[in-house]
Amino acid sequence: VRSIDEKNGYRFPQIAEQEEQYNRLYATANRTLLIRAPHDHQEIIDEGAKLRHCVATYAKRVASGETVILFVRKKAAPDKPYFTLNIDPVDGNMIQCRGYQNCGMTDGVKNIVNTLIDRLSRRKETA
């Protein structure tokens, strides 16, 4: 899948540079699911193509730090797109979380997302 952004000459190396920091801040796991940062711009493009939603259009906003995109994965298939999570980097609140063709969260996805949001909220309170 070719990136529309790449076709127009845009590349966002900042996304790859953010990965380690975002994983320290946001990575979460339970018995069956995990949340992690994207490796790079192309992985965000691929996520949108495979899940048939618009996350690829967020790449510029992710690169600038305006928004945070995270991937929810099944532990048994950590590289296979499952759900895409959008977090506000200022307040740590969820903006949206969508799966295939923009479907809503399953109970399991809600649980792990709530775990992350609760952790971010606690971190804000102690800061």
Side-chain angles (χ1 to χ4, degrees):
V1 176
R2 295 282 304 158
S3 159
I4 293 170
D5 293 329
E6 287 177 356
K7 184 176 81 176
N8 291 321
Y10 303 121
R11 290 190 184 8
F12 301 105
Q14 302 93 323
I15 294 170
E17 294 164 7
Q18 294 164 343
E19 181 185 13
E20 184 178 332
Q21 176 189 3
Y22 282 7
N23 278 330
R24 275 196 313 273
L25 292 171
Y26 304 110
T28 305
N30 63 23
R31 283 188 16 234
T32 59
L33 298 173
L34 60 89
I35 296 175
R36 68 166 177 84
H39 299 309
D40 56 29
H41 174 213
Q42 189 60 49
E43 193 174 28
I44 293 175
I45 303 300
D46 295 344
E47 179 93 350
K50 290 175 183 169
L51 292 181
R52 296 187 180 185
H53 61 43
C54 68
V55 73
T57 65
Y58 287 64
K60 185 175 183 179
R61 291 174 53 212
V62 171
S64 71
E66 183 181 335
T67 197
V68 174
I69 294 295
L70 302 166
F71 298 151
V72 180
R73 300 287 197 248
K74 292 179 180 178
K75 276 188 164 178
D79 295 319
K80 182 180 177 186
Y82 185 49
F83 277 80
T84 310
L85 175 59
N86 185 349
I87 297 279
D88 183 317
V90 174
D91 62 19
N93 289 328
M94 180 183 77
I95 298 170
Q96 62 181 333
C97 186
R98 299 289 180 209
Y100 185 72
Q101 295 185 331
N102 283 317
C103 73
M105 294 184 283
T106 65
D107 288 341
V109 171
K110 284 180 193 174
N111 288 337
I112 195 166
V113 168
N114 286 336
T115 297
L116 172 60
I117 299 302
D118 289 347
R119 191 180 85 221
L120 294 174
S121 176
R122 284 192 308 276
R123 187 178 293 157
K124 273 191 316 194
E125 291 170 5
T126 60

